[in-house]
Amino acid sequence: MKTKLIAPSLLAADFGNLQRDIEMVNNSQADWFHVDVMDGRFVPNISFGFPVMKTVQQHAKKFVDVHLMIVEPEKYVEEFIDHGADLVSVHYEACTHLHRTIHHIQSLGAKAGVVLNPSTPVLMLEDIIADVDLVLLMSVNPGFGGQKFIENTYKKIAETKDLILSNNSTALIEIDGGVNVDNAAKLFEAGADVLVAGNAVFSAESPERTIELLKI
């Protein structure tokens, strides 16, 4: 059966009403929570850290997918897992010892993902694809919400799918950036398994209905 998972990004939630927005995701047809962590160094923005993760851990009843847009992610993976992360994804571009970090995450009982920026070619994953649980393809440049979707992502999905199949990998393909009800079906059709949606969900008149539409 084809996977069609929706992961609302809490980066776009109302932080004055974070518990309310987490409960909305709990009660919706969404599958995962997506948590974007930015450090102001790897990307030109700062989002949030462990205090917000603690709130997510207290209230989230679904799978928690943490995307670390930070330098030296290996220093922090254990603490994020201690704060409820079920999956931790690190950037290929930020991780000097990627193989070691992926296996460290898995040894701590979490799933491990690798992230590629829009300009990083898929072939860079050839030596790690059999080890990871997920490949996250950025379909915008990381650091800011609300950006326009990069159309080359469809080509990268096909390349990633080929790489997964040729290496007998079980990795899922996740897409993050510019996902909305207009392109969700096409992304799933292209081979994506998980779609991250931030503004499309939390800025919608009916976030729950938008999540339903993204899954169709």
Side-chain angles (χ1 to χ4, degrees), residues 150-169:
I150 295 170
E151 293 294 323
N152 187 54
T153 304
Y154 294 108
K155 176 171 167 278
K156 288 184 83 169
I157 293 172
E159 290 169 353
T160 306
K161 203 76 179 171
D162 286 345
L163 190 65
I164 287 168
L165 292 171
S166 62
N167 286 274
N168 293 318
S169 170

Side-chain angles (χ1 to χ4, degrees), residues 5-6 24 31-32 57 63 66-67 71 75 77 85 93 108 122 137 147 161 168 200 203 206 215:
L5 305 178
I6 301 297
M24 181 279 292
D31 303 278
W32 293 3
Q57 186 178 22
F63 190 91
V66 173
H67 172 196
V71 297
K75 289 184 175 180
V77 295
E93 304 85 2
L108 295 168
V122 170
L137 301 175
Q147 295 181 65
K161 203 76 179 171
N168 293 318
S203 298
S206 172
K215 288 180 80 89

Side-chain angles (χ1 to χ4, degrees), residues 121-140:
V122 170
L123 60 85
M124 305 310 281
L125 298 181
E126 193 169 357
D127 293 324
I128 196 72
I129 193 68
D131 298 277
V132 299
D133 300 293
L134 176 136
V135 175
L136 171 49
L137 301 175
M138 292 301 301
S139 42
V140 298

Side-chain angles (χ1 to χ4, degrees), residues 31 36 46 55 57 64-65 70 118 153 175 184 186 190 205 214:
D31 303 278
D36 287 302
I46 296 173
T55 301
Q57 186 178 22
V64 177
D65 163 30
I70 64 176
T153 304
I175 307 300
K186 191 176 173 186
E205 195 172 316
L214 288 167

Side-chain angles (χ1 to χ4, degrees), residues 195-209:
L195 301 183
V196 176
N199 288 334
V201 168
F202 289 102
S203 298
E205 195 172 316
S206 172
E208 295 97 329
R209 177 62 182 149

Side-chain angles (χ1 to χ4, degrees), residues 20-49:
R20 179 203 67 191
D21 283 2
I22 291 171
E23 294 294 353
M24 181 279 292
V25 176
N26 282 336
N27 295 323
S28 74
Q29 288 186 28
D31 303 278
W32 293 3
F33 286 89
H34 187 81
V35 181
D36 287 302
V37 179
M38 307 178 187
D39 63 357
R41 292 176 65 202
F42 180 66
V43 290
N45 206 352
I46 296 173
S47 58
F48 45 74

Side-chain angles (χ1 to χ4, degrees), residues 4 6 29 180-185 188 195 200-201 204 206-216:
K4 280 189 176 183
I6 301 297
Q29 288 186 28
N180 55 45
V181 293
D182 297 322
N183 60 18
F188 281 133
L195 301 183
V201 168
S206 172
E208 295 97 329
R209 177 62 182 149
T210 301
I211 290 166
E212 284 176 32
L213 291 171
L214 288 167
K215 288 180 80 89
I216 292 172

